[in-house]
Structure formats: C-alpha cells, structure tokens
Amino acid sequence: MYPASRIERFDENVRLKYQLFNSIFITLPFTDIDNTGVLLPLFSELCEEGYKKHFSPEEIFNQFADKYLQGVSEEDRIGLMFRFIQYVERQVVLFDAIEDAAFTELNNLEGSGTLREAREKAENASLMPELREFLEHFTVRPVLTAHPTQFYPGEVLGIITDLTDAIRRNSLSEVKTLLAQLGKTPFIKKEKPTPYDEAISLLWYLENVFYKAAGDISHYVQESIYKGELIPDPIIAFGFWPGGDRDGNPFVTTEITLKVADRLRTSILKCYYYDIRQLKRHLTFVNVHDKVVDIEDRLYRSVFYSKGDIYITLDELKSKLLEIRQIVIEHHQSLYLDEIDNLINKVNQFGFHFATLDIRQNSRIHDAVFADVVKHLQEHHEFTGDYASLSDTEKVQALASITAVIKPEDFSEENTRLTLESIQAIKTIQTRNGERGCNRYIISNNESALNVLELLTMFSVLGIKDPHVDITPLFETVDDLKEAGDVMKLLYEHPQYSAHLKRRDNKQNIMLGFSDGTKDGGYLMANWSIYRAKEDLTAMARQYDVKVIFFDGRGGPPARGGGKTHKFYASLGSTIENNQIQITVQGQTISSNFGTLDSCRFNLENLLSAGITNSVFKKDEKQFTDAQKELVQDMARMSYEKYSAFKSHPKFLPYLQDMSTLNYYAKANIGSRPSKRNKGNELNFGDLRAIPFVGSWAQMKQNVPGFFGVGHALGEYERNGRWDEVVALYRDSLFFRTLLENSMMSLSKSFFPLTAYMKNDPEFGEFWQIIYDEYLETRRLLLKISGYKELMENYPDGWASIKIREGIVLPLLTIQQYALIQIRKMKNGNRPDNLLETYEKIVTRSLFGNINASRNSA
C-alpha cells in the first residue's frame, strides 16, 4: 500500500477532525441565547452562496435576517453579530490547535530541510569537516518583535497548548472541556497592552518552546556532527524587541527597558533551576550530588528570594557544570552525560540574558536629539560653529572635535533625555545580564553615514568611549537601499568608526527591508532592492575585510517580505554573505511556525539547513547572470512604476481611510505602539505604519502589498514577445521562483467578491477596479508561468489550510463589511447615527479573528 499523500494526510488529520470538533463546539451553550451556534453555520452557508451570486455583504446579511431573524430588533441583531464574531475567533483557535496537533503527520521531521538531511548529505559527499567548520561560525537568530499581527492573551495560549495536546491524544472528553473553557475565556483586553505586557506575552514562547527546542537542536548537532564534543559557539540565538524598540512608541521608557531585561534574566535562571532540579534526581553520585545541590540552591535564591541579587555568576555556573561533567566522565561511566551536556549547551546559548534586547530608534528622532545635544554644548562653550549649516562632510569632520561629557538629566526635552537614557541603559543591562543582554542599537530609516556617526558620538559624550555595541543601520526605502553601499563605504573609511569595528571583531550588522520597503516600493521592487543591496554591501565589506551580518525585517505576511523564508535563504548565492540568518518574527508567524516544540524545531532546523545549503552544498552553483539581473531589474522597475502611479492616485489615501479598517487598528488594543508616527488627524502616507497599512488590505481581502505591480511587469514581457525569457528565469532561479510563489500566497488569501459592491461606488468604483484588474492579471500570469491550474498547486495542503481558514472567517468579514457600510451611511446622513459607536465597535472587534486566521508559512 502506498503511503498517503500530503493532501490525504491533511484531510484525515486536519479537515475531518475540524469538522468533528467544530460540530461539538457549536453546540456548547456559551450565552443566554442557545441558538447562536446553530445560526452561525446557516449564516456561513448564505455567505458562500451569496458571494457566488454577486450579492453584497449588506444584501447577504439582510437576506439572513429576513429568513431567520424576523421580528428581531436591530439591537438584538447586533448582539448576534458580536456572538458570531466570538464564535469565529474560537473556531480559528480550534483549527490552529488541530493543525498544530497534526504537525508531525503533515511534515517529515527528518526529511528535506532538516539537520538529519544536511548531515547525511554531508557524509555522502565527504563534506563533514566543511559542515563542522561552517557551524562553528554560523548562527540563526530569530528576533521576536511585538508588532501587533496577533496577540492571544496568555490564558488563551495556555488553552491552545492544552487543546493541541488533547487533540493529539484523541481525548474527546478533555477536548470538550477545553472547548467549553475556551468559550468562556476573554480574548480581548479592554486596555492597550504596555510594552512590558508585550514582553511577558513573548516570554511565554521563550520559556515554553524556544528554550527546549533550541536546546534539543544543539544537542543533536553535538551528538551527530561534533561526535559528542561540546559545541564551540551557539548555533541558535534569539533577539527581543519588546521594551527596547522605541521607534514610534512613546510608551517604551528606560524603566520598562530595564524591567524587561531583568525579567529576561529571571526567566532564564528559572529555566535553569527547573533543569537542575531534574538533574539532581539522576546525579546522585559521590562528589557530584552536593555540587548539583549547591547550584540548585544558588539558582533558587537568585530567582525566588532576591530583588535583583544574583547568587551565582554565569562563569561560576559554567565552570561548575563543566566540573560535574568531567567527574561523571572520569568516575561514573558518563551516566546522564547527555542531560549534563544539554544543560551546558543551553547555558552557552542563553547565558543570563535569554534573548538579546535590541534598542531601536528612528533617525529622525536622532536628528532632533543630536541638534539638542549640540545646542547644549554650544551654550556651555564646548562646541563652536553652526553645526546645522554644515554639509554632511563638514559635520563628519566636526564630530571628531567633540570631547565633552554630558548627562541625560542635563536636558529638559523628553525625547533627548529618553534617547540618551536608552544609550546608558545598554551599559546597565550588560553589567547585569552580560554583553549579549543588550549589544545592538538599530537606527531605523538610516539615510546616511552621518546617522551612524552621530550615534557613535552620543555614546562618546555620555562617557561610553569604547561601546560594546553593534551600531546597526536599517535601510528601508528603495532609495536608501540603493545608497546603502556608498553609506557603508564612508563608514569603513572613517577612522573612528573603523576603530570601533575593530573592537567588534570587524563585524558589521546591517538591517534591511522591514516595514517601509514594500509600502514604499511595492512587492517586487522591495525584494529585488534588498537583494541588490545585499550584493553591493557584501562586495563592499569584503573589500574592507569586514564580516557583514545581514538582519532581515521579514515579518510575517509575504507583503512584508515573509513567505517561505527557508526557501528564500537557500536561494541566495555566494555573492551575498552568509555569516548568519537573522530575521524578525512577529505575530501569527510566532504562533504558527514556532508555537509548538515540533513546529519550532522543524522551522529552526529549516533556517539552519538553508544556511548550510547555501554555503556547504552550493559553492559551485551558478549565480544570476548579468542578463538575468537586467531582466529582474527591468521587471522591478515596471512594477515600481505601476505601484507608484497607484500610490499617487488621488483616491489612494481616501480609499484606505473611508473604505478599509485602517482607522480601527488604533482602537483594537492589540499593541502598545500608536498606529501612525504623527499625532495629527490628517492621514499622511509617510507616517503610516506598515502593520495597519498591510492589515487593512488584508481585512478587505485585497492584499495589495503582496502582488500589485507583479502582473503588470509580467504582462509587459508577454505583450513584447519576451515571455520565454521570463519562463526561463522562473525555471532557473530559485530566488525569482520563491518571490512569485510568495506572491501566489497573497493572491490565495484574496477574495474580491467580498468588496465587489465597491465597484458601483460613485467615488471609489474606478479605484476598486484598478486593484481588481491588477489582481486578475497577476493571477493569470502567475498561473501561466508556473503551469498550474490553481494557485499554490505545489502546496496542496497549504492551499487546503488557507481555504478552510478563509471559510471560517467569511461570516466575520461579511459582518465587518456590513458594519462599514452602515457607518458610511450614517456619516453621509443616509441613516440615523444613533448606533454609530456600536457599529464601530463591531468593526474593531472583527479585526482579531481575521488577523489570527491569516497564518503564514515563513
């Protein structure tokens, strides 16, 4: 009998189980009106049929009301809408748990993309020494951010974990109890979370998932690749942004930064304490047990007794564990050596910091802060001349003359004081948690070498002359990415910065992309600009003997650079440095790709394997030819022109403001950060954050940032008789193919019948049609170039998952659009506005279920 295909396994382990458990869920009485769960499937069926008949959301809901809610007041209908939304949110959680429980059935944990495959491939090709050498210098570093693309409260995360386990064990009674608990557990917080709240939420993943998964991977590498020898350096590390990311978030204070760092230290010490307790049960040997008890006691006091006091240093912990290891090897036949090594690897990985807290601030804030610093120095006769009137070259020269020392309390301007305090906080955290506790300062929207040198000067004037910090420019916009190589050339040639780099082992961290890349340049141009910038920056770094480390702001959805991340990294060639893989991970990507031990280990191994593939197994693989680069560059240009014209359309911002959910993200209380950078009421594209921007297109099921301009560029080559060139590029380039496959994913999550009623709108009908036409063209040409009959045909289980998820949230999205229609009627004076606030609450409340359902395979 042949083994089941992926889609067959999906149907058996996911689709059928969801149908079974959902049938139980919708019959549980959660509210005073028992028929909510009965009416929801009826409404869902009407939605599916209605959109096939080209009905609008308003027509569909009215049809439902006429059929099932006769004589029911509008207020009671609204109450039912809220209950539908609550049911749908919990159906999404149920489906998440079922998919998580089926992870090992759907994925081969020892197959393609895993460390086992990499090891066996290296053994077969006699490349084990190269593999060992590569892993000695390579690290995967996921950086957890608090960007609000999903925020289940801790109570719900716990239920998901328990529910996943119960489903995996097929414990029907336990599943039923947990579903009942789920139905009665609040999903939404009435108050916005603070940055510290966000940190606590992500710490759940560090403590419950990443700690064990990363430890298991390190242990596997030690046993299978290093043959029992301890790993020289950690192959997996973690970064952390909540509490340190100040860009556009006025709620991140120095107090919170230090508080988060302390909590990270306490959390990792607690993890060590629980591990050492387990070891104590096994290491009962003479001259060993007492040493384990001593470690346990000192960790316990450091975690539970002290107020910041540490009763064992990191060096002491390491040396004591190594001493125990040696005694066990020499005198006790290496009993439980695996468990000792596992803990040693974890201590080497996580230190006393758990995850490295990054500090991030915008260059525009730095400009104002440094101007304030210069003004202060001028007032105290410690700097002469008009700094603001100097050219950038003259400013760079002037910086070398600044030798004064300042204090944050010297300044009354809050931004200046807080920025200077954040610099000092780095030193404080390093003293408490070790250098890896906080050793990177990221400058968002970095536009020049001056941005970097002014920050280095701020360290100096605060008395931190030789900072143990990687100053990391973040190049985001298309123009900044184009100029990135020249910026770094100036820095590498600058005496003070060159000396700083030497103190940092000649390693330069550079962050690329992140939030504003796609928003600024569109999908194709943003991704290609990052690729070209990496090539330029790699060549520049090699010329100056600098080891460049790229940090990618890949986010979650493909529209922000996400998608099949491991395929993306495996597609990069030798012209791009491959010292580390560093990526931001956020929202639904954290829970979907790293939410369970199995999925976490699988996806971390995929990233490690991508780095190995690119360096160990692809040394002789051909790179992009000049002709191919010109081809991609030309398509990126065409796509950019199409997207730029679209973005410049007079209805672009009004459409987002009036027809989408953009204005409701700020009310959702799913993140501490304001939804835009400025405080004014006027909508400005430059101040608009990527999360509300991308999220608003996703709520409308239009997903513009993930495809707009792609179809236009492909179509130009088709019309000009050059289609064969594009097909050849798709066939020969994994990078280009991955880009288009990620765009397919965005198209797969689009559903234009939901908003088709807008084409008849007198103000926005023409604009909606522009979007729809580009969607149709992109879809047609992606199917043509791939040879598929359906989108994502090569990922049938992935497509099946998306289809079920989209079906689950369809009633919710219909209610959302219905509410938006009523709101517009009220604001236009076409109906009384007595229920305006209520309908606005419906829109806000409907955001969560769709956000959480939009999982993404990163």
Side-chain angles (χ1 to χ4, degrees):
M1 185 175 179
Y2 291 104
S5 65
R6 285 181 64 92
I7 189 62
E8 288 171 336
R9 297 198 302 274
F10 178 87
D11 287 340
E12 180 181 350
N13 293 283
V14 179
R15 190 194 306 274
L16 291 177
K17 281 192 175 181
Y18 176 72
Q19 292 171 353
L20 169 64
F21 291 128
N22 185 52
S23 66
I24 296 171
F25 176 67
I26 62 175
T27 60
L28 294 175
F30 297 127
T31 66
D32 293 335
I33 299 178
D34 295 335
N35 65 348
T36 306
V38 176
L39 290 174
L40 179 57
L42 297 174
F43 180 55
S44 181
E45 187 178 343
L46 275 181
C47 290
E48 291 181 15
E49 294 176 356
Y51 290 120
K52 289 177 183 176
K53 297 175 181 177
H54 310 293
F55 291 169
S56 70
E58 185 176 36
E59 289 171 328
I60 289 170
F61 188 81
N62 288 339
Q63 183 187 37
F64 172 75
D66 292 342
K67 194 169 183 179
Y68 298 108
L69 303 177
Q70 290 184 0
V72 177
S73 67
E74 186 171 10
E75 287 79 0
D76 287 340
R77 293 180 183 184
I78 288 171
L80 183 64
M81 290 183 203
F82 278 114
R83 290 195 296 278
F84 278 174
I85 291 170
Q86 290 172 324
Y87 263 76
V88 169
E89 287 172 340
R90 286 154 177 81
Q91 286 177 316
V92 171
V93 169
L94 173 60
F95 191 77
D96 284 348
I98 291 170
E99 276 205 317
D100 288 343
F103 191 86
T104 57
E105 300 294 331
L106 300 177
N107 298 276
N108 185 352
L109 302 192
E110 296 184 348
S112 178
T114 64
L115 284 174
R116 176 172 176 172
E117 183 207 37
R119 186 205 72 201
E120 291 177 350
K121 193 173 179 180
E123 286 176 339
N124 293 335
S126 300
L127 291 173
M128 284 299 288
E130 288 85 348
L131 177 58
R132 284 175 57 120
E133 182 183 0
F134 172 74
L135 289 176
E136 285 176 11
H137 306 286
F138 182 76
T139 306
V140 163
R141 184 176 177 180
V143 179
L144 309 182
T145 81
H147 289 75
T149 55
Q150 181 246 63
F151 246 80
Y152 286 131
E155 298 85 351
V156 175
L157 288 173
I159 294 172
I160 293 174
T161 301
D162 293 342
L163 188 57
T164 300
D165 182 58
I167 291 169
R168 189 181 290 118
R169 292 184 284 104
N170 289 317
S171 177
L172 188 58
S173 61
E174 194 174 347
V175 169
K176 187 173 181 179
T177 301
L178 287 165
L179 289 176
Q181 180 188 356
L182 184 68
K184 293 179 176 291
T185 301
F187 272 44
I188 308 304
K189 295 182 178 180
K190 294 182 180 179
E191 303 293 331
K192 286 176 73 70
T194 67
Y196 186 71
D197 293 332
E198 293 171 332
I200 296 302
S201 293
L202 292 188
L203 264 166
W204 187 93
Y205 290 99
L206 281 173
E207 292 176 355
N208 293 282
V209 185
F210 287 111
Y211 178 73
K212 187 176 189 309
D216 289 346
I217 290 173
S218 295
H219 185 65
Y220 178 83
V221 169
Q222 178 188 351
E223 290 298 307
S224 65
I225 298 175
Y226 285 88
K227 305 303 181 185
E229 299 175 22
L230 289 173
I231 301 173
D233 291 300
I235 57 172
I236 299 175
F238 296 95
F240 205 75
W241 275 19
D245 183 8
R246 295 167 178 263
D247 183 11
N249 194 338
F251 306 112
V252 177
T253 63
T254 307
E255 179 185 3
I256 282 181
T257 300
L258 296 174
K259 189 178 177 183
V260 169
D262 286 346
R263 182 58 185 265
L264 282 164
R265 184 184 66 248
T266 300
S267 293
I268 190 58
L269 291 176
K270 184 169 63 174
C271 290
Y272 295 155
Y273 167 72
Y274 288 132
D275 272 4
I276 207 73
R277 282 184 64 188
Q278 290 298 314
L279 263 179
K280 188 179 73 169
R281 294 170 62 88
H282 294 149
L283 301 181
T284 53
F285 320 132
V286 174
N287 207 25
V288 173
H289 186 69
D290 57 335
K291 293 180 177 10
V292 177
V293 169
D294 178 59
I295 295 174
E296 179 195 27
D297 176 65
R298 293 166 74 173
L299 284 172
Y300 182 84
R301 284 186 287 156
S302 299
V303 173
F304 300 106
Y305 275 6
S306 72
K307 294 182 179 179
D309 297 326
I310 302 298
Y311 293 90
I312 185 169
T313 67
L314 179 59
D315 287 340
E316 285 175 331
L317 179 58
K318 286 181 177 180
S319 65
K320 286 179 178 294
L321 288 172
L322 288 172
E323 183 183 357
I324 290 169
R325 182 181 192 270
Q326 194 62 32
I327 294 171
V328 167
I329 291 172
E330 292 179 356
H331 302 290
H332 301 291
Q333 294 75 49
S334 297
L335 282 172
Y336 300 111
L337 183 61
D338 282 355
E339 293 181 28
I340 299 170
D341 284 351
N342 200 351
L343 181 54
I344 290 172
N345 283 331
K346 288 175 180 175
V347 172
N348 287 334
Q349 274 186 310
F350 299 112
F352 275 14
H353 64 285
F354 213 159
T356 300
L357 186 64
D358 286 340
I359 305 297
R360 184 171 79 120
Q361 185 54 282
N362 198 288
S363 65
R364 298 168 194 169
I365 298 295
H366 283 174
D367 290 343
V369 169
F370 199 76
D372 206 15
V373 170
V374 169
K375 179 182 176 184
H376 172 85
L377 295 176
Q378 289 170 331
E379 290 172 353
H380 290 77
H381 309 291
E382 293 172 323
F383 182 84
T384 57
D386 185 6
Y387 183 80
S389 66
L390 300 177
S391 67
D392 278 7
T393 302
E394 291 169 332
K395 286 179 179 178
V396 167
Q397 293 171 346
L399 291 177
S401 67
I402 299 177
T403 58
V405 177
I406 61 174
K407 298 177 182 178
E409 53 265 32
D410 295 339
F411 298 86
S412 57
E413 170 59 41
E414 186 179 36
N415 262 341
T416 302
R417 180 175 53 80
L418 289 176
T419 300
L420 297 176
E421 281 182 357
S422 71
I423 293 172
Q424 287 188 329
I426 294 175
K427 191 172 182 179
T428 302
I429 294 168
Q430 289 185 349
T431 301
R432 296 176 181 178
N433 295 13
E435 182 184 315
R436 288 193 291 160
C438 186
N439 62 4
R440 180 161 64 185
Y441 195 118
I442 300 163
I443 307 172
S444 303
N445 284 308
N446 195 96
E447 297 177 335
S448 67
L450 188 63
N451 291 147
V452 174
L453 295 172
E454 285 182 345
L455 177 59
L456 185 61
T457 302
M458 283 194 273
F459 274 93
S460 178
V461 296
L462 284 168
I464 309 172
K465 299 299 182 182
D466 299 324
H468 298 282
V469 177
D470 298 315
I471 298 178
T472 305
L474 166 51
F475 300 105
E476 299 187 64
T477 67
V478 172
D479 288 340
D480 290 344
L481 288 164
K482 192 181 300 181
E483 302 296 325
D486 292 336
V487 169
M488 297 313 301
K489 182 176 189 294
L490 288 172
L491 289 172
Y492 296 150
E493 293 177 348
H494 187 270
Q496 282 84 7
Y497 193 77
S498 177
H500 168 71
L501 273 186
K502 282 184 171 61
R503 292 191 295 270
R504 302 301 295 160
D505 297 325
N506 259 14
K507 292 180 180 178
Q508 174 65 56
N509 281 251
I510 299 176
M511 189 173 179
L512 298 165
F514 206 52
S515 57
D516 284 333
T518 305
K519 182 167 75 76
D520 174 59
Y523 177 74
L524 201 56
M525 175 59 88
N527 280 279
W528 181 242
S529 295
I530 292 170
Y531 184 93
R532 292 305 302 269
K534 281 186 176 181
E535 284 198 321
D536 293 343
L537 291 166
T538 296
M540 190 66 63
R542 289 172 178 172
Q543 180 182 338
Y544 288 90
D545 197 28
V546 172
K547 297 175 183 175
V548 67
I549 296 168
F550 293 120
F551 175 23
D552 291 308
R554 292 190 64 74
R560 302 191 69 229
K564 294 289 182 181
T565 307
H566 63 283
K567 288 186 66 175
F568 171 84
Y569 284 107
S571 72
L572 303 178
S574 59
T575 57
I576 292 176
E577 205 62 81
N578 186 38
N579 293 310
Q580 295 187 22
I581 289 179
Q582 296 193 17
I583 53 170
T584 53
V585 190
Q586 67 189 41
Q588 80 277 27
T589 309
I590 297 176
S591 59
S592 63
N593 286 1
F594 304 98
T596 67
L597 289 172
D598 289 333
S599 64
C600 183
R601 177 169 178 172
F602 181 78
N603 284 294
L604 287 176
E605 284 196 22
N606 265 230
L607 290 172
L608 279 167
S609 179
I612 293 168
T613 298
N614 213 5
S615 289
V616 179
F617 301 133
K618 282 195 171 181
K619 291 182 178 178
D620 300 322
E621 184 166 302
K622 62 181 181 180
Q623 304 299 313
F624 270 123
T625 64
D626 290 341
Q628 287 174 328
K629 286 183 179 180
E630 288 179 12
L631 185 60
V632 182
Q633 177 64 39
D634 193 40
M635 283 190 285
R637 176 190 60 79
M638 293 176 181
S639 176
Y640 180 57
E641 290 172 353
K642 177 74 172 179
Y643 178 76
S644 296
F646 173 67
K647 197 172 61 173
S648 301
H649 194 287
K651 294 302 179 184
F652 184 87
L653 287 178
Y655 181 80
L656 280 174
Q657 194 153 24
D658 296 342
M659 306 299 281
S660 80
T661 59
L662 181 68
N663 296 327
Y664 298 89
Y665 268 81
K667 304 175 183 179
N669 293 337
I670 55 175
S672 66
R673 183 190 307 270
S675 61
K676 55 191 181 77
R677 288 185 172 91
N678 69 352
K679 295 181 180 179
N681 292 324
E682 184 178 347
L683 183 60
N684 180 285
F685 185 81
D687 291 326
L688 185 59
R689 292 199 166 278
I691 293 292
F693 177 74
V694 173
S696 297
W697 293 111
Q699 293 287 335
M700 289 193 291
K701 291 297 165 187
Q702 294 180 357
N703 289 330
V704 160
F707 72 83
F708 200 91
V710 175
H712 171 73
L714 293 173
E716 285 293 295
Y717 272 80
E718 182 189 49
R719 286 185 287 275
N720 293 328
R722 299 180 63 186
W723 183 249
D724 288 346
E725 295 177 48
V726 182
V727 172
L729 181 65
Y730 179 84
R731 181 189 63 235
D732 296 338
S733 168
L734 178 59
F735 176 83
F736 184 65
R737 191 160 63 250
T738 301
L739 277 189
L740 296 193
E741 285 182 354
N742 287 342
S743 192
M744 283 189 198
M745 187 183 294
S746 283
L747 293 176
S748 298
K749 295 180 180 181
S750 299
F751 184 66
F752 277 85
L754 179 72
T755 56
Y757 72 93
M758 295 180 185
K759 67 182 176 184
N760 298 318
D761 186 272
E763 183 178 359
F764 296 110
E766 179 187 342
F767 188 77
W768 181 91
Q769 193 66 46
I770 291 172
I771 302 169
Y772 185 52
D773 288 345
E774 181 64 12
Y775 161 80
L776 291 176
E777 181 73 342
T778 305
R779 186 180 188 280
R780 179 182 73 83
L781 291 169
L782 287 182
L783 290 176
K784 180 178 179 179
I785 198 171
S786 63
Y788 301 153
K789 293 181 179 179
E790 295 292 342
L791 295 171
M792 294 182 65
E793 193 174 294
N794 53 334
Y795 297 107
D797 53 328
W799 165 237
S801 174
I802 289 173
K803 195 171 181 180
I804 294 175
R805 289 177 178 277
E806 297 299 298
I808 291 172
V809 297
L810 189 58
L812 178 149
L813 294 171
T814 302
I815 289 171
Q816 180 186 98
Q817 286 296 322
Y818 176 85
L820 286 169
I821 291 169
Q822 304 313 307
I823 290 167
R824 287 193 289 271
K825 284 184 176 181
M826 293 177 195
K827 290 184 175 180
N828 293 334
N830 295 326
R831 63 161 291 178
D833 63 357
N834 59 309
L835 291 174
L836 177 62
E837 185 178 345
T838 302
Y839 277 110
E840 287 181 334
K841 285 182 180 178
I842 288 177
V843 175
T844 303
R845 194 66 178 76
S846 67
L847 297 175
F848 305 92
N850 187 39
I851 290 171
N852 292 332
S854 298
R855 273 191 169 189
N856 196 63
S857 298

